[in-house]
mmCIF file of all heavy atoms in Angstrom:
data_model
loop_
_atom_site.group_PDB
_atom_site.id
_atom_site.type_symbol
_atom_site.label_atom_id
_atom_site.label_comp_id
_atom_site.label_asym_id
_atom_site.label_seq_id
_atom_site.Cartn_x
_atom_site.Cartn_y
_atom_site.Cartn_z
ATOM 1 N N GLU A 1 -198.687 -90.689 42.249
ATOM 2 C CA GLU A 1 -199.394 -91.594 41.364
ATOM 3 C C GLU A 1 -198.458 -91.922 40.108
ATOM 4 O O GLU A 1 -198.564 -93.030 39.543
ATOM 5 C CB GLU A 1 -200.753 -90.962 40.876
ATOM 6 C CG GLU A 1 -201.710 -91.063 41.964
ATOM 7 C CD GLU A 1 -202.084 -92.487 42.427
ATOM 8 O OE1 GLU A 1 -202.434 -93.336 41.588
ATOM 9 O OE2 GLU A 1 -202.021 -92.723 43.623
ATOM 10 N N MET A 2 -197.611 -90.892 39.707
ATOM 11 C CA MET A 2 -196.745 -91.153 38.622
ATOM 12 C C MET A 2 -195.752 -92.259 38.931
ATOM 13 O O MET A 2 -195.461 -93.128 38.177
ATOM 14 C CB MET A 2 -196.002 -89.873 38.208
ATOM 15 C CG MET A 2 -195.175 -89.981 36.985
ATOM 16 S SD MET A 2 -194.174 -88.426 36.616
ATOM 17 C CE MET A 2 -195.152 -87.154 37.242
ATOM 18 N N ALA A 3 -195.193 -92.230 40.159
ATOM 19 C CA ALA A 3 -194.232 -93.270 40.552
ATOM 20 C C ALA A 3 -194.998 -94.621 40.670
ATOM 21 O O ALA A 3 -194.387 -95.661 40.283
ATOM 22 C CB ALA A 3 -193.754 -92.856 42.010
ATOM 23 N N LEU A 4 -196.170 -94.702 41.181
ATOM 24 C CA LEU A 4 -196.909 -95.958 41.173
ATOM 25 C C LEU A 4 -197.214 -96.479 39.853
ATOM 26 O O LEU A 4 -197.085 -97.683 39.560
ATOM 27 C CB LEU A 4 -198.206 -95.714 42.002
ATOM 28 C CG LEU A 4 -199.128 -96.957 42.094
ATOM 29 C CD1 LEU A 4 -198.372 -98.056 42.946
ATOM 30 C CD2 LEU A 4 -200.461 -96.580 42.780
ATOM 31 N N ALA A 5 -197.542 -95.617 38.856
ATOM 32 C CA ALA A 5 -197.864 -96.045 37.580
ATOM 33 C C ALA A 5 -196.550 -96.582 36.908
ATOM 34 O O ALA A 5 -196.641 -97.619 36.119
ATOM 35 C CB ALA A 5 -198.374 -94.866 36.720
ATOM 36 N N ILE A 6 -195.451 -95.993 37.147
ATOM 37 C CA ILE A 6 -194.156 -96.502 36.586
ATOM 38 C C ILE A 6 -193.885 -97.860 37.154
ATOM 39 O O ILE A 6 -193.495 -98.780 36.465
ATOM 40 C CB ILE A 6 -193.026 -95.502 36.832
ATOM 41 C CG1 ILE A 6 -193.233 -94.279 36.003
ATOM 42 C CG2 ILE A 6 -191.651 -96.187 36.567
ATOM 43 C CD1 ILE A 6 -192.315 -93.170 36.369
ATOM 44 N N LEU A 7 -194.114 -98.035 38.418
ATOM 45 C CA LEU A 7 -193.874 -99.378 39.006
ATOM 46 C C LEU A 7 -194.842 -100.548 38.506
ATOM 47 O O LEU A 7 -194.481 -101.669 38.348
ATOM 48 C CB LEU A 7 -193.904 -99.337 40.552
ATOM 49 C CG LEU A 7 -192.784 -98.649 41.287
ATOM 50 C CD1 LEU A 7 -192.978 -98.544 42.819
ATOM 51 C CD2 LEU A 7 -191.520 -99.499 41.004
ATOM 52 N N LEU A 8 -196.135 -100.077 38.328
ATOM 53 C CA LEU A 8 -197.104 -101.028 37.835
ATOM 54 C C LEU A 8 -196.759 -101.422 36.390
ATOM 55 O O LEU A 8 -196.982 -102.537 35.953
ATOM 56 C CB LEU A 8 -198.488 -100.427 37.950
ATOM 57 C CG LEU A 8 -199.086 -100.451 39.342
ATOM 58 C CD1 LEU A 8 -200.440 -99.754 39.330
ATOM 59 C CD2 LEU A 8 -199.243 -101.887 39.835
ATOM 60 N N GLU A 9 -196.402 -100.460 35.612
ATOM 61 C CA GLU A 9 -195.947 -100.783 34.249
ATOM 62 C C GLU A 9 -194.851 -101.734 34.158
ATOM 63 O O GLU A 9 -194.732 -102.617 33.409
ATOM 64 C CB GLU A 9 -195.669 -99.457 33.430
ATOM 65 C CG GLU A 9 -195.416 -99.723 31.966
ATOM 66 C CD GLU A 9 -193.940 -100.131 31.699
ATOM 67 O OE1 GLU A 9 -193.017 -99.692 32.413
ATOM 68 O OE2 GLU A 9 -193.770 -100.938 30.750
ATOM 69 N N ALA A 10 -193.825 -101.425 35.034
ATOM 70 C CA ALA A 10 -192.583 -102.342 35.086
ATOM 71 C C ALA A 10 -193.032 -103.664 35.594
ATOM 72 O O ALA A 10 -192.529 -104.684 34.985
ATOM 73 C CB ALA A 10 -191.575 -101.726 36.024
ATOM 74 N N ALA A 11 -193.929 -103.835 36.450
ATOM 75 C CA ALA A 11 -194.354 -105.138 36.904
ATOM 76 C C ALA A 11 -195.152 -105.933 35.860
ATOM 77 O O ALA A 11 -194.853 -107.089 35.552
ATOM 78 C CB ALA A 11 -195.229 -105.018 38.162
ATOM 79 N N LEU A 12 -196.023 -105.182 35.099
ATOM 80 C CA LEU A 12 -196.729 -105.795 33.978
ATOM 81 C C LEU A 12 -195.752 -106.253 32.967
ATOM 82 O O LEU A 12 -195.844 -107.291 32.346
ATOM 83 C CB LEU A 12 -197.844 -104.838 33.452
ATOM 84 C CG LEU A 12 -199.038 -104.730 34.314
ATOM 85 C CD1 LEU A 12 -199.917 -103.643 33.685
ATOM 86 C CD2 LEU A 12 -199.758 -106.001 34.475
ATOM 87 N N SER A 13 -194.824 -105.396 32.595
ATOM 88 C CA SER A 13 -193.806 -105.712 31.551
ATOM 89 C C SER A 13 -192.938 -106.885 31.989
ATOM 90 O O SER A 13 -192.497 -107.752 31.140
ATOM 91 C CB SER A 13 -192.982 -104.523 31.174
ATOM 92 O OG SER A 13 -193.696 -103.521 30.606
ATOM 93 N N PHE A 14 -192.568 -106.937 33.248
ATOM 94 C CA PHE A 14 -191.740 -108.014 33.727
ATOM 95 C C PHE A 14 -192.534 -109.384 33.635
ATOM 96 O O PHE A 14 -191.874 -110.404 33.315
ATOM 97 C CB PHE A 14 -191.382 -107.811 35.283
ATOM 98 C CG PHE A 14 -190.629 -108.957 35.835
ATOM 99 C CD1 PHE A 14 -189.252 -109.031 35.642
ATOM 100 C CD2 PHE A 14 -191.216 -109.854 36.650
ATOM 101 C CE1 PHE A 14 -188.608 -110.106 36.179
ATOM 102 C CE2 PHE A 14 -190.534 -110.896 37.211
ATOM 103 C CZ PHE A 14 -189.148 -111.068 36.986
ATOM 104 N N LEU A 15 -193.770 -109.355 33.813
ATOM 105 C CA LEU A 15 -194.610 -110.592 33.657
ATOM 106 C C LEU A 15 -195.008 -110.871 32.169
ATOM 107 O O LEU A 15 -195.674 -111.897 31.954
ATOM 108 C CB LEU A 15 -195.823 -110.408 34.500
ATOM 109 C CG LEU A 15 -195.560 -110.395 35.983
ATOM 110 C CD1 LEU A 15 -196.899 -110.081 36.736
ATOM 111 C CD2 LEU A 15 -194.988 -111.662 36.488
ATOM 112 N N GLY A 16 -194.609 -110.030 31.304
ATOM 113 C CA GLY A 16 -194.845 -110.224 29.913
ATOM 114 C C GLY A 16 -196.207 -109.738 29.432
ATOM 115 O O GLY A 16 -196.755 -110.039 28.360
ATOM 116 N N LEU A 17 -196.898 -108.924 30.279
ATOM 117 C CA LEU A 17 -198.220 -108.355 30.039
ATOM 118 C C LEU A 17 -198.233 -106.854 29.840
ATOM 119 O O LEU A 17 -199.317 -106.281 29.760
ATOM 120 C CB LEU A 17 -199.228 -108.819 31.118
ATOM 121 C CG LEU A 17 -199.328 -110.233 31.384
ATOM 122 C CD1 LEU A 17 -200.187 -110.526 32.677
ATOM 123 C CD2 LEU A 17 -200.004 -110.913 30.246
ATOM 124 N N GLY A 18 -197.108 -106.299 29.716
ATOM 125 C CA GLY A 18 -196.969 -104.844 29.573
ATOM 126 C C GLY A 18 -196.736 -104.424 28.158
ATOM 127 O O GLY A 18 -197.336 -105.005 27.239
ATOM 128 N N VAL A 19 -195.754 -103.610 27.877
ATOM 129 C CA VAL A 19 -195.484 -103.072 26.549
ATOM 130 C C VAL A 19 -194.826 -104.231 25.783
ATOM 131 O O VAL A 19 -194.063 -105.098 26.321
ATOM 132 C CB VAL A 19 -194.588 -101.854 26.586
ATOM 133 C CG1 VAL A 19 -195.352 -100.665 27.223
ATOM 134 C CG2 VAL A 19 -193.327 -102.051 27.273
ATOM 135 N N PRO A 20 -195.009 -104.253 24.433
ATOM 136 C CA PRO A 20 -194.348 -105.306 23.628
ATOM 137 C C PRO A 20 -192.869 -105.048 23.547
ATOM 138 O O PRO A 20 -192.401 -103.960 23.691
ATOM 139 C CB PRO A 20 -195.058 -105.188 22.260
ATOM 140 C CG PRO A 20 -195.715 -103.893 22.256
ATOM 141 C CD PRO A 20 -195.972 -103.438 23.705
ATOM 142 N N PRO A 21 -192.118 -106.140 23.317
ATOM 143 C CA PRO A 21 -190.664 -106.069 23.316
ATOM 144 C C PRO A 21 -189.926 -105.030 22.559
ATOM 145 O O PRO A 21 -188.870 -104.612 23.006
ATOM 146 C CB PRO A 21 -190.314 -107.514 22.864
ATOM 147 C CG PRO A 21 -191.410 -108.399 23.284
ATOM 148 C CD PRO A 21 -192.586 -107.505 23.161
ATOM 149 N N PRO A 22 -190.358 -104.572 21.376
ATOM 150 C CA PRO A 22 -189.538 -103.523 20.806
ATOM 151 C C PRO A 22 -189.524 -102.200 21.556
ATOM 152 O O PRO A 22 -188.595 -101.392 21.477
ATOM 153 C CB PRO A 22 -190.139 -103.327 19.423
ATOM 154 C CG PRO A 22 -191.121 -104.329 19.171
ATOM 155 C CD PRO A 22 -191.408 -104.996 20.469
ATOM 156 N N LEU A 23 -190.523 -101.964 22.395
ATOM 157 C CA LEU A 23 -190.545 -100.710 23.158
ATOM 158 C C LEU A 23 -189.792 -100.881 24.346
ATOM 159 O O LEU A 23 -189.669 -101.949 24.979
ATOM 160 C CB LEU A 23 -192.056 -100.497 23.480
ATOM 161 C CG LEU A 23 -193.005 -100.111 22.413
ATOM 162 C CD1 LEU A 23 -194.341 -99.901 22.904
ATOM 163 C CD2 LEU A 23 -192.542 -98.821 21.694
ATOM 164 N N PRO A 24 -189.091 -99.784 24.793
ATOM 165 C CA PRO A 24 -188.242 -99.819 26.000
ATOM 166 C C PRO A 24 -189.019 -99.845 27.323
ATOM 167 O O PRO A 24 -190.015 -99.155 27.387
ATOM 168 C CB PRO A 24 -187.325 -98.604 25.938
ATOM 169 C CG PRO A 24 -188.124 -97.646 25.140
ATOM 170 C CD PRO A 24 -188.964 -98.481 24.176
ATOM 171 N N SER A 25 -188.705 -100.679 28.181
ATOM 172 C CA SER A 25 -189.337 -100.807 29.474
ATOM 173 C C SER A 25 -188.365 -101.478 30.423
ATOM 174 O O SER A 25 -187.719 -102.504 30.153
ATOM 175 C CB SER A 25 -190.574 -101.721 29.439
ATOM 176 O OG SER A 25 -191.060 -101.902 30.732
ATOM 177 N N TRP A 26 -188.126 -100.854 31.642
ATOM 178 C CA TRP A 26 -187.203 -101.418 32.566
ATOM 179 C C TRP A 26 -187.717 -102.734 33.098
ATOM 180 O O TRP A 26 -186.953 -103.619 33.419
ATOM 181 C CB TRP A 26 -186.955 -100.486 33.743
ATOM 182 C CG TRP A 26 -186.076 -99.373 33.337
ATOM 183 C CD1 TRP A 26 -185.020 -99.469 32.593
ATOM 184 C CD2 TRP A 26 -186.103 -97.967 33.757
ATOM 185 N NE1 TRP A 26 -184.277 -98.270 32.379
ATOM 186 C CE2 TRP A 26 -185.045 -97.386 33.112
ATOM 187 C CE3 TRP A 26 -186.935 -97.298 34.537
ATOM 188 C CZ2 TRP A 26 -184.742 -95.991 33.296
ATOM 189 C CZ3 TRP A 26 -186.670 -95.892 34.660
ATOM 190 C CH2 TRP A 26 -185.604 -95.314 34.081
ATOM 191 N N GLY A 27 -189.001 -102.986 33.210
ATOM 192 C CA GLY A 27 -189.525 -104.228 33.611
ATOM 193 C C GLY A 27 -189.225 -105.289 32.602
ATOM 194 O O GLY A 27 -188.864 -106.476 32.963
ATOM 195 N N LEU A 28 -189.365 -104.964 31.352
ATOM 196 C CA LEU A 28 -189.006 -105.891 30.297
ATOM 197 C C LEU A 28 -187.459 -106.190 30.220
ATOM 198 O O LEU A 28 -187.117 -107.353 30.085
ATOM 199 C CB LEU A 28 -189.452 -105.317 28.936
ATOM 200 C CG LEU A 28 -189.347 -106.246 27.749
ATOM 201 C CD1 LEU A 28 -190.264 -107.454 27.882
ATOM 202 C CD2 LEU A 28 -189.864 -105.449 26.449
ATOM 203 N N MET A 29 -186.714 -105.223 30.545
ATOM 204 C CA MET A 29 -185.285 -105.383 30.543
ATOM 205 C C MET A 29 -184.818 -106.338 31.678
ATOM 206 O O MET A 29 -184.066 -107.171 31.556
ATOM 207 C CB MET A 29 -184.503 -104.077 30.720
ATOM 208 C CG MET A 29 -184.511 -103.197 29.549
ATOM 209 S SD MET A 29 -183.684 -101.669 29.837
ATOM 210 C CE MET A 29 -184.145 -100.616 28.574
ATOM 211 N N ILE A 30 -185.480 -106.169 32.881
ATOM 212 C CA ILE A 30 -185.199 -106.989 34.035
ATOM 213 C C ILE A 30 -185.654 -108.435 33.680
ATOM 214 O O ILE A 30 -184.980 -109.401 33.968
ATOM 215 C CB ILE A 30 -185.880 -106.419 35.247
ATOM 216 C CG1 ILE A 30 -185.268 -105.145 35.638
ATOM 217 C CG2 ILE A 30 -185.822 -107.389 36.401
ATOM 218 C CD1 ILE A 30 -186.011 -104.389 36.729
ATOM 219 N N ALA A 31 -186.827 -108.565 33.057
ATOM 220 C CA ALA A 31 -187.339 -109.939 32.647
ATOM 221 C C ALA A 31 -186.332 -110.604 31.763
ATOM 222 O O ALA A 31 -186.111 -111.842 31.830
ATOM 223 C CB ALA A 31 -188.739 -109.834 32.140
ATOM 224 N N GLU A 32 -185.904 -109.890 30.702
ATOM 225 C CA GLU A 32 -184.971 -110.526 29.697
ATOM 226 C C GLU A 32 -183.635 -110.841 30.316
ATOM 227 O O GLU A 32 -182.907 -111.701 29.891
ATOM 228 C CB GLU A 32 -184.775 -109.615 28.547
ATOM 229 C CG GLU A 32 -186.097 -109.522 27.677
ATOM 230 C CD GLU A 32 -185.974 -108.453 26.588
ATOM 231 O OE1 GLU A 32 -184.965 -107.750 26.583
ATOM 232 O OE2 GLU A 32 -186.887 -108.447 25.735
ATOM 233 N N ALA A 33 -183.215 -110.052 31.460
ATOM 234 C CA ALA A 33 -181.923 -110.313 31.996
ATOM 235 C C ALA A 33 -181.896 -111.360 33.128
ATOM 236 O O ALA A 33 -180.798 -111.738 33.612
ATOM 237 C CB ALA A 33 -181.426 -108.963 32.622
ATOM 238 N N LYS A 34 -183.034 -111.825 33.572
ATOM 239 C CA LYS A 34 -183.133 -112.815 34.647
ATOM 240 C C LYS A 34 -182.390 -114.051 34.327
ATOM 241 O O LYS A 34 -181.914 -114.737 35.212
ATOM 242 C CB LYS A 34 -184.459 -113.056 35.166
ATOM 243 C CG LYS A 34 -185.420 -113.762 34.148
ATOM 244 C CD LYS A 34 -186.765 -113.918 34.724
ATOM 245 C CE LYS A 34 -187.579 -114.633 33.620
ATOM 246 N NZ LYS A 34 -188.961 -114.420 33.735
ATOM 247 N N ASP A 35 -182.304 -114.449 33.040
ATOM 248 C CA ASP A 35 -181.571 -115.722 32.709
ATOM 249 C C ASP A 35 -180.055 -115.475 32.861
ATOM 250 O O ASP A 35 -179.312 -116.600 32.974
ATOM 251 C CB ASP A 35 -181.887 -116.039 31.199
ATOM 252 C CG ASP A 35 -183.365 -116.406 30.963
ATOM 253 O OD1 ASP A 35 -183.993 -116.860 31.995
ATOM 254 O OD2 ASP A 35 -183.842 -116.195 29.876
ATOM 255 N N TYR A 36 -179.600 -114.309 32.866
ATOM 256 C CA TYR A 36 -178.180 -114.071 32.996
ATOM 257 C C TYR A 36 -177.674 -113.465 34.240
ATOM 258 O O TYR A 36 -176.521 -113.139 34.482
ATOM 259 C CB TYR A 36 -177.729 -113.041 31.844
ATOM 260 C CG TYR A 36 -178.184 -113.527 30.453
ATOM 261 C CD1 TYR A 36 -179.296 -112.848 29.876
ATOM 262 C CD2 TYR A 36 -177.540 -114.506 29.831
ATOM 263 C CE1 TYR A 36 -179.707 -113.183 28.570
ATOM 264 C CE2 TYR A 36 -177.935 -114.892 28.551
ATOM 265 C CZ TYR A 36 -179.046 -114.263 27.943
ATOM 266 O OH TYR A 36 -179.433 -114.666 26.693
ATOM 267 N N MET A 37 -178.521 -113.458 35.267
ATOM 268 C CA MET A 37 -178.190 -112.801 36.456
ATOM 269 C C MET A 37 -177.127 -113.465 37.332
ATOM 270 O O MET A 37 -176.512 -112.841 38.182
ATOM 271 C CB MET A 37 -179.458 -112.598 37.332
ATOM 272 C CG MET A 37 -180.110 -113.782 37.967
ATOM 273 S SD MET A 37 -181.561 -113.217 38.972
ATOM 274 C CE MET A 37 -181.907 -114.662 39.765
ATOM 275 N N PHE A 38 -176.902 -114.765 37.144
ATOM 276 C CA PHE A 38 -175.817 -115.449 37.867
ATOM 277 C C PHE A 38 -174.538 -115.300 37.223
ATOM 278 O O PHE A 38 -173.467 -115.358 37.906
ATOM 279 C CB PHE A 38 -176.189 -116.941 38.014
ATOM 280 C CG PHE A 38 -177.391 -117.191 38.894
ATOM 281 C CD1 PHE A 38 -178.520 -117.729 38.377
ATOM 282 C CD2 PHE A 38 -177.376 -116.803 40.251
ATOM 283 C CE1 PHE A 38 -179.650 -117.969 39.179
ATOM 284 C CE2 PHE A 38 -178.473 -117.064 41.056
ATOM 285 C CZ PHE A 38 -179.593 -117.591 40.514
ATOM 286 N N PHE A 39 -174.469 -115.097 35.886
ATOM 287 C CA PHE A 39 -173.251 -114.964 35.222
ATOM 288 C C PHE A 39 -172.837 -113.551 34.900
ATOM 289 O O PHE A 39 -171.702 -113.160 34.993
ATOM 290 C CB PHE A 39 -173.281 -115.720 33.890
ATOM 291 C CG PHE A 39 -173.718 -117.112 34.034
ATOM 292 C CD1 PHE A 39 -174.910 -117.569 33.682
ATOM 293 C CD2 PHE A 39 -172.818 -118.042 34.616
ATOM 294 C CE1 PHE A 39 -175.318 -118.834 33.826
ATOM 295 C CE2 PHE A 39 -173.169 -119.357 34.791
ATOM 296 C CZ PHE A 39 -174.402 -119.709 34.399
ATOM 297 N N SER A 40 -173.822 -112.612 34.706
ATOM 298 C CA SER A 40 -173.588 -111.230 34.487
ATOM 299 C C SER A 40 -174.647 -110.386 35.304
ATOM 300 O O SER A 40 -175.643 -109.964 34.778
ATOM 301 C CB SER A 40 -173.716 -110.890 33.035
ATOM 302 O OG SER A 40 -172.836 -111.587 32.223
ATOM 303 N N PRO A 41 -174.442 -110.230 36.535
ATOM 304 C CA PRO A 41 -175.387 -109.646 37.496
ATOM 305 C C PRO A 41 -175.690 -108.118 37.087
ATOM 306 O O PRO A 41 -176.721 -107.612 37.353
ATOM 307 C CB PRO A 41 -174.887 -109.763 38.881
ATOM 308 C CG PRO A 41 -173.417 -110.040 38.702
ATOM 309 C CD PRO A 41 -173.259 -110.730 37.404
ATOM 310 N N TRP A 42 -174.706 -107.533 36.494
ATOM 311 C CA TRP A 42 -174.895 -106.120 36.131
ATOM 312 C C TRP A 42 -176.022 -105.965 35.121
ATOM 313 O O TRP A 42 -176.589 -104.858 35.036
ATOM 314 C CB TRP A 42 -173.629 -105.460 35.632
ATOM 315 C CG TRP A 42 -173.073 -106.248 34.334
ATOM 316 C CD1 TRP A 42 -172.187 -107.319 34.329
ATOM 317 C CD2 TRP A 42 -173.393 -105.883 33.042
ATOM 318 N NE1 TRP A 42 -171.995 -107.677 33.021
ATOM 319 C CE2 TRP A 42 -172.690 -106.783 32.180
ATOM 320 C CE3 TRP A 42 -174.148 -104.943 32.389
ATOM 321 C CZ2 TRP A 42 -172.799 -106.801 30.824
ATOM 322 C CZ3 TRP A 42 -174.250 -104.886 31.042
ATOM 323 C CH2 TRP A 42 -173.583 -105.813 30.274
ATOM 324 N N VAL A 43 -176.324 -106.954 34.273
ATOM 325 C CA VAL A 43 -177.325 -106.886 33.287
ATOM 326 C C VAL A 43 -178.772 -106.644 33.863
ATOM 327 O O VAL A 43 -179.610 -105.949 33.374
ATOM 328 C CB VAL A 43 -177.361 -108.139 32.401
ATOM 329 C CG1 VAL A 43 -178.493 -108.089 31.415
ATOM 330 C CG2 VAL A 43 -175.989 -108.370 31.682
ATOM 331 N N ILE A 44 -178.888 -107.247 35.092
ATOM 332 C CA ILE A 44 -180.174 -107.023 35.815
ATOM 333 C C ILE A 44 -180.195 -105.910 36.773
ATOM 334 O O ILE A 44 -181.191 -105.328 37.063
ATOM 335 C CB ILE A 44 -180.605 -108.368 36.380
ATOM 336 C CG1 ILE A 44 -182.108 -108.373 36.731
ATOM 337 C CG2 ILE A 44 -179.933 -108.692 37.763
ATOM 338 C CD1 ILE A 44 -182.680 -109.750 37.196
#
């Protein structure tokens, strides 16, 4: 369940409905990096 909760939090943060931007979240990091994925794929 811990693994599932982490994935759900990442999904919510990716969609902008999770933790607010100053807090660290891998879903938020992936969402912010999607604009740069073609030029700097390592960011995502």
Side-chain angles (χ1 to χ4, degrees):
E1 288 296 308
M2 187 185 327
L4 179 63
I6 290 170
L7 285 175
L8 284 173
E9 184 279 325
L12 287 174
S13 294
F14 178 79
L15 296 172
L17 300 171
V19 296
L23 294 174
S25 170
W26 282 323
L28 190 60
M29 290 179 194
I30 293 170
E32 290 174 351
K34 70 182 177 205
D35 295 333
Y36 307 105
M37 72 182 190
F38 293 115
F39 305 109
S40 302
W42 60 270
V43 177
I44 201 168

